[in-house]
Amino acid sequence: MSFRMLAVSAFLVLHFLAGFASPIVTGAQDELVKVPGGYLLKSNVHAVPEGGRIVHSSDSVQLIDAGGRVLHYASLSRSKPAFTRLNRPSSEVRRNLESAIVAAIWDAPSIFTFTSDWIVPPAPQKYSNQLLYYFSALLPPSGDAFIQPVLQYGPSVAGGGAYWSVGSWFIAGDTGYYTNLTQVLSGEQNVYPFILDEDEFLGTPTTHAWYCGFEFHQQESSLNIQTSETFNVAYVALEAYNAISLLNLPGQTTNIVNIAIANDDNEFSSPIPWTLFNDTADGITMKVVSASNGDGAALQIQYVGNSSSKQGLEGERVEEQLTMKTSRRH
């Protein structure tokens, strides 16, 4: 692993962990809401209407409707990373399941497409308004914005409840945008998040165009983004909020399979040199099952101690199936 990759990966995770520290807001009259990546003021989080798009530059972000009308405009400051003006991390705050994260990060030379299959987990054994975000995202090296199709369990500012749903988010600075949520079946189907480069059709000499969402749910979940930044950091994560115990998490491993990350030449650099960040103190870990990019790459999220015997057998069985599938392709 290069020093640059290690430095960028460490910066990104520390950046997001800062967003998980107990927020301290002086004189704030607005409500803080939990978004993928941390907390934002509710007044800074906006729904994207069908056909809407995001225009993101170095100093601003705009929400534009299908007719070209600007629905929202926000100035951006590069002086601080996203969320830190709203969340001042304290070294005295012990992280726990009320705000936990595991992640896999790859700082790639370039990214043209990022696709994967998420096997929708079974519902947690207990529901207590916990909020779980699972996502495959792209970020710039600065870590100040990200594009992400999200698999969600629990209630958020975008909606949701005691069921799984999918939608897309774009966050820049202290501003967030989300699409409508679509409910998906627990443990009975896969969902297929994608992030595609559309520079060939919609890009300009100074901007990049991205299209993200979920296959088979594109009308409800898709989002078009135009940005002046280069998004070349792949970020796969679980973020948990308001969980009381591991019973508030799925009772078996969560599998992300068929991961394919193409570069600007539409080639698949393999193996993917993931950098993993685990939360062993809280019993949640991310594991690389296969790093074979474009040929069965897979990650696995394990919940140690949660229905341990069932999860252990299920995890071993799924891992064996994924390994056999990958082996047959070589």
Side-chain angles (χ1 to χ4, degrees):
M1 179 189 303
S2 69
F3 175 78
R4 176 177 178 272
M5 180 182 296
L6 180 61
V8 170
S9 299
F11 167 77
L12 288 173
V13 169
L14 289 173
H15 163 69
F16 285 111
L17 292 183
F20 280 112
S22 296
I24 304 173
V25 182
T26 303
Q29 301 298 316
D30 204 349
E31 177 187 357
L32 282 168
V33 293
K34 305 172 185 69
V35 302
Y39 294 80
L40 289 178
L41 292 174
K42 188 174 183 179
S43 60
N44 289 349
V45 182
H46 309 276
V48 178
E50 187 173 334
R53 60 190 173 94
I54 306 297
V55 176
H56 171 233
S57 68
S58 60
D59 58 7
S60 68
V61 60
Q62 301 177 67
L63 171 60
I64 300 175
D65 69 12
R69 183 167 58 104
V70 177
L71 301 179
H72 178 261
Y73 175 93
S75 297
L76 299 178
S77 170
R78 298 287 174 167
S79 60
K80 296 181 180 180
F83 309 118
T84 56
R85 285 191 294 279
L86 304 178
N87 304 271
R88 290 186 290 179
S90 169
S91 59
E92 298 177 358
V93 177
R94 180 184 179 276
R95 291 200 305 120
N96 52 43
L97 285 173
E98 293 183 359
S99 53
I101 180 173
V102 294
I105 298 176
W106 178 30
D107 176 24
S110 66
I111 293 180
F112 183 68
T113 62
F114 182 10
T115 60
S116 59
D117 299 356
W118 286 79
I119 301 173
V120 180
Q125 296 179 53
K126 289 189 176 181
Y127 177 66
S128 55
N129 289 316
Q130 71 268 34
L131 174 57
L132 310 178
Y133 286 127
Y134 295 81
F135 54 82
S136 303
L138 287 185
L139 301 88
S142 62
D144 60 3
F146 51 96
I147 302 166
Q148 53 188 164
V150 177
L151 172 64
Q152 171 185 316
Y153 183 89
S156 75
V157 67
Y163 54 85
W164 295 100
S165 55
V166 295
S168 293
W169 286 76
F170 179 78
I171 293 180
D174 295 330
T175 303
Y177 302 94
Y178 61 87
T179 66
N180 291 329
L181 295 179
T182 301
Q183 186 172 349
V184 295
L185 299 178
S186 175
E188 297 182 19
Q189 69 177 100
N190 291 19
V191 291
Y192 306 95
F194 63 82
I195 305 175
L196 309 177
D197 184 303
E198 293 201 321
D199 283 359
E200 180 181 356
F201 309 104
L202 300 172
T204 72
T206 58
T207 63
H208 303 282
W210 294 96
Y211 177 57
C212 74
F214 286 85
E215 190 177 353
F216 306 120
H217 302 287
Q218 291 188 43
Q219 183 174 353
E220 308 93 337
S221 69
S222 62
L223 188 58
N224 285 285
I225 302 111
Q226 185 176 12
T227 176
S228 59
E229 287 200 86
T230 298
F231 283 67
N232 64 303
V233 179
Y235 185 82
V236 181
L238 158 64
E239 297 173 357
Y241 296 94
N242 297 339
I244 299 171
S245 73
L246 286 173
L247 294 177
N248 291 125
L249 303 178
Q252 63 188 49
T253 55
T254 300
N255 297 284
I256 310 100
V257 300
N258 297 324
I259 298 170
I261 305 174
N263 61 23
D264 285 346
D265 295 321
N266 207 23
E267 298 174 343
F268 299 89
S269 176
S270 189
I272 301 174
W274 293 112
T275 299
L276 301 181
F277 292 86
N278 288 313
D279 190 353
T280 54
D282 294 325
I284 312 174
T285 59
M286 179 83 77
K287 178 181 179 180
V288 177
V289 177
S290 170
S292 182
N293 188 17
D295 191 26
L299 295 167
Q300 189 175 81
I301 301 172
Q302 300 179 339
Y303 314 95
V304 179
N306 187 352
S307 302
S308 57
S309 59
K310 177 182 177 182
Q311 174 166 297
L313 291 173
E314 178 67 20
E316 291 175 6
R317 184 162 55 248
V318 172
E319 180 178 347
E320 180 180 357
Q321 291 172 351
L322 292 172
T323 303
M324 290 175 62
K325 178 180 178 181
T326 303
S327 299
R328 286 197 298 268
R329 294 185 177 185
H330 293 280

